[in-house]
Amino acid sequence: MVATRIWIARPEPGATRTAERLSALGFEPLVAPVLVVAATDAPLPEGPFDGLVVTSANALRQASRWHPLHSVPVFAVGARTAALARECGFTSVKTADGNAADLVGLVEREVLPGASLLHVAGEDRKAEPEASLTRAGFRLTSHIAYGARAVPSLPALVALALARPSTLTGVLHYSRRSAATACELAIKAGYGGAFAALRHYCLSADVAAPLARAGIAPHFVAGQANEDSLLAGLTSGF
């Protein structure tokens, strides 16, 4: 029996980790990121800081290079980011339940208003949790640690698969930016119809938004913005 083939469009190093999970579930992963993560190498803002707010694993990987921060309490958006923080050597890690609102609530419970917080993020970030933390009276400094650059063209493996639609079943979308980029590259390469015909599995409604604008109805949108929920939706259909 031929394994169901699923395209993983997210950047590395997450794409390879997801591929391992897909393989263990009996799927055939097609690892072909449409975004490449690159550090900005911007200098770290001057502290001291009472807390480090992290909403992105890629941002955390950059922050882990700054050893003076390892003793600063980390407020992580979810369990995966929190686990990575501990692996990177941060000694005090608090975990929210997976979204920006939960993260704001966690900080408000743990830190007094007026405290100085450093939010390490990527170039393509949302207004939250920065806006709510600022309104709550925290002194927030944002540091852009990395950017995601779109690849110049649709990956060759994906183009080949879309040219033979029966060889590719679905695609996993982990961010609004990667979903939009995958769609744009497929259309530009002349495979817009084949791309739309795939089963699209999205980490959240926000991730699915660019597909909706392109007239593509997602096959599944995770109820919780984490990989476990996304993969549960994938496996339930097979």
Side-chain angles (χ1 to χ4, degrees):
M1 181 177 178
V2 178
T4 301
R5 200 177 193 196
I6 303 294
W7 174 18
I8 303 169
R10 72 183 304 195
E12 292 289 12
T16 294
R17 186 179 70 247
T18 298
E20 292 170 352
R21 296 193 66 180
L22 285 189
S23 295
L25 292 169
F27 295 94
E28 179 186 349
L30 173 56
V31 177
V34 296
L35 300 175
V36 177
V37 173
T40 62
D41 294 325
L44 183 68
E46 290 187 10
F49 298 105
D50 300 303
L52 180 64
V53 178
V54 184
T55 52
S56 162
N58 285 316
L60 182 59
R61 289 186 182 93
Q62 300 304 321
S64 67
R65 300 180 303 167
W66 304 319
H67 296 290
L69 288 179
H70 283 190
S71 60
V72 175
V74 172
F75 299 95
V77 69
R80 173 66 193 175
T81 308
L84 179 60
R86 296 184 182 97
E87 291 172 13
C88 289
F90 291 93
T91 56
S92 175
V93 181
K94 304 287 186 178
T95 312
D97 292 330
N99 61 54
D102 295 330
L103 182 57
V104 171
L106 173 64
V107 173
E108 288 179 329
R109 291 191 299 272
E110 297 286 340
V111 185
L112 293 174
S116 178
L117 303 175
L118 176 64
H119 180 209
V120 183
E123 291 175 344
D124 185 32
R125 71 190 194 281
K126 302 171 189 175
E128 296 294 348
E130 295 179 13
S132 292
L133 289 172
T134 300
R135 285 196 299 270
F138 296 100
R139 293 181 291 120
L140 196 71
T141 300
S142 296
H143 177 68
I144 307 306
Y146 74 96
R149 310 287 181 254
V151 298
S153 60
L154 189 69
L157 287 175
V158 177
L160 183 62
L162 291 178
R164 302 168 59 197
S166 62
T167 66
L168 185 63
T169 300
V171 52
L172 299 180
H173 299 290
Y174 280 74
S175 73
R176 175 193 286 256
R177 175 86 184 281
S178 66
T181 302
C183 185
E184 292 165 4
L185 292 176
I187 292 171
K188 183 179 177 181
Y191 296 111
F195 176 82
L198 295 174
R199 293 186 182 187
H200 295 266
Y201 297 86
C202 301
L203 191 69
S204 69
D206 179 67
V207 172
L211 301 177
R213 285 198 300 271
I216 300 172
H219 186 75
F220 175 79
V221 177
Q224 295 181 310
N226 60 59
E227 188 171 68
D228 288 342
S229 180
L230 180 63
L231 296 187
L234 174 65
T235 56
S236 67
F238 295 95

